[in-house]
Amino acid sequence: MEYLGQYKAVYKAKSGCEDILAKAQDGGIVTSMFAYALETGIIDGAIVAGPGSEPYKPEPMIATTVEELFAARGTKYSVSPNLALIKEATRSYGLDKIGIVGTPCQIQAVRKAQLYPIGMRDVPDKIALALGIFCMENFPYQGLFQMVEDHCATKIDNVTKMDIGKGKFSVYTERGVNSQIPLKVTHKYEQPGCHVCLDYVANMADISTGSVGTPDGWSTVFVRSAAGEAAFNKAVEAGWIIAESMDGVKPGLELVEKLATEKITKNQKYLEHRLHKEHPALKPLRNPYI
C-alpha cells in the first residue's frame, strides 16, 4: 500500500489498562505506551498535549509520572505545539530519554531537528520514543470553538468528547447529547498549513496509531522502527497493550489507505496549484515517501 509508509508490523490494538481505556479516545495506545515506557525506564519523560486554560485548548506539557500522562488523555483537535518543549525537557528537566507524541508534520520536524540540530544542540540523541497520530487536518482553537458552539449548538464547557469519523464531526456531553455536523461544514476552519502536508499516518514515527481501520474501542498501530518494535513488543508482553493481527479486521487497512490517498492526492493538487499559479517561490513540506 503506497501511502502507509514503511513498517515492520501492523496491529489491531488497545490498552490493557482499564483506567486508561475509561477516558481514552479510542484504544488508548499513546497513553499506554508512554506509561509503560516511563515505568520501565525506556523514557524518563514524555511531551504530550496536556489540558489548557480553556476546554479542549491543549497546551504542551512534560509528563514525568503516569498520573500526569493520565491528565492528558484524549484527542484534541486543535494543535498542541509539543516541539516547543523539547529543549525545555532536556535542559530544565534534565531528561536524557524523551518520549514525544505529534501529528505527522510534527514528527517530520522532530526528525529534521535530529538530522540538522540547528538551535537543538541537546536534542538529537535524546528522543527515545516518537509516537505519531493519524491526521487528516487540524483546527485553530477559535475555529474549533465555533464548530462546537455555533454549528453543534453545544457549550464547549459541557463537552466530554469530540470525534471525527464516518464523514462527521461529533461532540458528546455528560447528559448523553450527541451533536453531529458533516465534515464539509468543518473544512473552512482547517489550518491552512494542513493543506501542504503529504503524510496521513506519521510514517516517520517509531510507532504511529489512529482509530481508522479498526472497530470502536480499538486502534490501528503501525510499528515502524527498531526502537518502536522493541518498546511495543515489551508493552504487549507486560500486558500494557493488547495486540491482535489485522487479518480479517474490518474496515481494515483498505480504509486507512483510502483516507491517506485522499489526503495526499488533494494536497498534491493544492501544492501544484500554489506552486504554478499563486506563489512560485513557495515549496511544500518534504514528501516523506521519497
Side-chain angles (χ1 to χ4, degrees), residues 33-261:
M33 279 304 309
F34 279 155
Y36 171 75
L38 268 177
E39 292 286 281
T40 56
I42 295 173
I43 60 174
D44 44 24
I47 303 173
V48 296
S53 57
E54 299 178 64
Y56 290 92
K57 186 176 185 178
E59 292 184 8
M61 62 178 283
I62 299 169
T64 57
T65 67
V66 172
E67 289 73 23
E68 290 172 333
L69 284 174
F70 278 26
R73 286 175 292 184
T75 296
K76 291 86 173 174
Y77 288 102
S78 191
V79 70
S80 175
N82 289 357
L83 272 70
L85 287 184
I86 288 183
K87 288 200 291 188
E88 179 82 0
T90 61
R91 297 174 185 176
S92 299
Y93 283 70
L95 303 185
D96 294 318
K97 295 174 288 185
I98 300 170
I100 186 167
V101 60
T103 55
C105 58
Q106 290 177 317
I107 297 300
Q108 283 194 42
V110 169
R111 298 312 189 200
K112 188 172 184 178
Q114 290 181 284
L115 284 172
Y116 308 103
I118 299 172
M120 292 279 189
R121 187 180 60 222
D122 298 322
V123 169
D125 62 341
K126 300 293 194 301
I127 303 298
L129 190 61
L131 304 184
I133 49 180
F134 300 174
C135 181
M136 185 65 81
E137 67 270 320
N138 215 296
F139 305 97
Y141 183 72
Q142 185 59 42
L144 185 71
F145 184 89
Q146 291 189 224
M147 286 160 51
V148 173
E149 298 232 344
D150 293 350
H151 294 283
C152 294
T154 303
K155 294 290 290 182
I156 199 167
D157 306 79
N158 298 331
V159 173
T160 56
K161 181 178 180 180
M162 300 181 190
D163 192 24
I164 292 177
K166 300 177 182 176
K168 295 178 180 177
F169 172 74
S170 304
V171 296
Y172 304 85
T173 69
E174 290 185 350
R175 298 176 64 185
V177 176
N178 176 6
S179 299
Q180 295 180 322
I181 55 175
L183 288 184
K184 64 181 180 182
V185 176
T186 70
H187 289 330
K188 67 178 180 181
Y189 297 109
E190 295 167 359
Q191 300 267 17
C194 295
H195 300 155
V196 302
C197 178
L198 302 178
D199 187 0
Y200 174 66
V201 291
N203 66 58
M204 290 186 177
D206 293 309
I207 297 169
S208 58
T209 184
S211 63
V212 173
T214 42
D216 291 346
W218 293 80
S219 297
T220 301
V221 176
F222 290 97
V223 178
R224 299 187 181 277
S225 70
E229 183 177 44
F232 186 82
N233 288 345
K234 290 177 182 176
V236 172
E237 290 172 8
W240 282 83
I241 300 283
I242 298 169
E244 300 179 3
S245 169
M246 282 293 289
D247 293 344
V249 173
K250 299 296 182 182
L253 294 182
E254 288 76 12
L255 181 58
V256 185
E257 174 75 3
K258 178 176 181 290
L259 294 184
T261 302

Side-chain angles (χ1 to χ4, degrees), residues 3 136 256-267:
Y3 292 129
M136 185 65 81
V256 185
E257 174 75 3
K258 178 176 181 290
L259 294 184
T261 302
E262 284 180 4
K263 173 179 179 177
I264 292 163
T265 302
K266 181 184 71 174
N267 288 356

Side-chain angles (χ1 to χ4, degrees), residues 108 198 204 268 284-290:
Q108 283 194 42
L198 302 178
M204 290 186 177
Q268 282 176 328
L285 289 179
R286 176 186 177 275
N287 186 339
Y289 299 96
I290 297 176

